Amino acid sequence: MIESVTFTRRRVQRDQLGRPVTDRYGNDIYTDVTFVVPNCSVEPRGTSSEENDQQQHVETGLTVFCGNPAVDVHAPDRATYAGLTYEVDGEPARYTGSRFGNDYAQINLRRVTG
């Protein structure tokens, strides 16, 4: 596994004392936090298309295999790969305890256009 994938997670913005920052209406203000996951391998998944309300939608997907099964990636996160932004599709599958020592995490990504 030789690639690195950049992920982005939305988090509540906090002040110097660790309290959530809110707008004038009392709603939390969010900020995007970017982090890089090394030791990955990226493979394409299938492409599908459908037409809704006379608009063509195309869904493409990638599967990311990470060498660290405890990688801190979750369903609401987004990934950037090859200049395109994908959504994490579900929670990562984590495989551990193999007698061959090939523990890893599998992260499914999807991108819908149209």
Side-chain angles (χ1 to χ4, degrees):
M1 298 189 197
I2 57 172
E3 298 184 78
S4 294
V5 179
T6 302
F7 287 89
T8 305
R9 174 174 297 146
R10 246 189 140 136
R11 294 192 182 210
V12 174
Q13 190 173 346
R14 301 201 175 267
D15 64 13
Q16 294 87 355
L17 300 175
R19 296 178 300 212
V21 176
T22 57
D23 62 13
R24 65 182 180 166
Y25 302 106
N27 299 318
D28 290 336
I29 296 176
Y30 290 87
T31 186
D32 288 338
V33 177
T34 302
F35 57 99
V36 176
V37 176
N39 196 22
C40 295
S41 176
V42 180
E43 296 181 7
R45 287 192 298 148
T47 301
S48 65
S49 64
E50 70 177 56
E51 189 171 319
N52 290 332
D53 299 327
Q54 300 176 355
Q55 293 182 356
Q56 186 73 22
H57 301 281
V58 177
E59 181 178 323
T60 55
L62 298 174
T63 302
V64 178
F65 298 96
C66 298
N68 178 6
V71 66
D72 187 25
V73 174
H74 300 283
D77 296 344
R78 295 183 312 274
T80 303
Y81 181 76
L84 299 173
T85 301
Y86 295 83
E87 297 174 357
V88 174
D89 189 12
E91 286 295 320
R94 301 172 196 284
Y95 300 96
T96 59
S98 168
R99 66 182 175 159
F100 300 110
N102 57 348
D103 297 345
Y104 65 95
Q106 177 182 333
I107 303 167
N108 294 321
L109 304 177
R110 74 180 195 139
R111 182 172 191 265
V112 179
T113 56

